[in-house]
Amino acid sequence: LEDLIRRLEETQYKSTSPSEFEETLRDTFFFLGFETELIGTPGNTDVFVKAEVGERSYSANVDGKTSKRGRIDDVQIDWLSLEDHKEKTKADFVVVVGPDFAGGNLEKRAQQNKVVLLKTKDLIEILKEHARFPFNLIELRELFETPSNSSQTVEKVIEKHRNRTRFLEHMKLLLDEMKALQKSWLRYFSIDSLSAREKIQEAGLKPQEVEEIIKFLKSPLIRAIEENPDGKYFLTMSRRNVSEIFRRIAESLEDEKSTLISRAGSETFCFLSV
């Protein structure tokens, strides 16, 4: 992540060697989960990206624009070529990425030609959010669907994503409250008893959301919760052990090299924390 951000910040201004920016854009969209192809030859788009998501699959031409001055003007964009490239690759969308964009006529032309103007700094914010908790490719589609200046769209996409990832924060809170109820005179917990807890209400968790998290933790893969015939729930493991299950799942989905790097990073973090 840090390497990608550094490269984006540096190469966006290298107008004498635009290929460096193109290569960085390819690596950036690959990091986000897209299939990517660097073309970057005269008469062709710079980077072709594809989201393979079944019936909702989509693709886009990504055109990188560099500028020493830090702003892309209307004269720097060949609108006809962008349209030709779109037809050639049969792409669904066209995105121009650059340090910044002039307003006025440029934004109007982008709107007319259905071209998204994506600032490098906004793309970096997407990268940071993806590193915190990965987007799925359906969520990212919205970035490509709104022509012209995409800054507001980026903000919306990130906010929607954070609403989804609050599930994890709520799960941590619920695990602690489940344990507290189970240690009380009740010796069990239910959707109603959890929903009535002060901390749960302060977090704004609704009974439906509580039920969704219980179902997730009760799933055959996790089995952190058991239910008796009376509909009462019991926590069967500590929060630390639930965390360990997630870590094992992550390791099983990674290749050996990635797992070793991940373990090394975790061990270093633990050492520094101590």
Side-chain angles (χ1 to χ4, degrees), residues 220-260:
L221 181 62
I222 311 298
R223 295 196 66 182
I225 290 176
E226 296 288 344
E227 182 181 6
N228 73 5
D230 299 326
K232 298 175 181 178
Y233 297 104
F234 305 89
L235 193 62
T236 62
M237 64 178 68
S238 66
R239 175 153 58 86
R240 182 175 60 81
N241 283 340
V242 174
S243 174
E244 181 66 16
I245 287 176
F246 290 146
R247 188 172 72 84
R248 297 293 184 183
I249 293 171
E251 287 182 356
S252 71
L253 294 174
E254 295 173 344
D255 57 38
E256 186 177 352
K257 183 178 179 181
S258 298
T259 302
L260 289 172

Side-chain angles (χ1 to χ4, degrees), residues 81-138:
S81 291
L82 290 180
E83 182 61 31
D84 289 342
H85 298 164
K86 184 180 180 183
E87 291 181 7
K88 187 182 295 186
T89 61
K90 294 185 170 73
D92 298 296
F93 308 106
V94 177
V95 181
V96 175
V97 184
D100 200 356
F101 297 95
N105 193 48
L106 176 62
E107 291 193 4
K108 289 179 182 178
R109 295 284 294 277
Q111 189 77 39
Q112 292 168 356
N113 290 275
K114 298 181 180 179
V115 173
V116 174
L117 303 176
L118 179 59
K119 296 177 184 177
T120 307
K121 66 178 183 179
D122 289 334
L123 182 56
I124 288 173
E125 290 306 309
I126 290 290
L127 278 178
K128 290 178 179 177
E129 186 68 16
H130 184 74
R132 187 183 74 83
F133 193 92
F135 286 96
N136 69 48
L137 294 172
I138 298 297

Side-chain angles (χ1 to χ4, degrees), residues 22-37:
E22 295 165 9
E23 291 171 3
T24 304
L25 288 175
R26 174 200 59 194
D27 296 343
T28 296
F29 282 93
F30 180 78
F31 181 83
L32 291 172
F34 292 89
E35 296 178 11
T36 61
E37 180 184 359

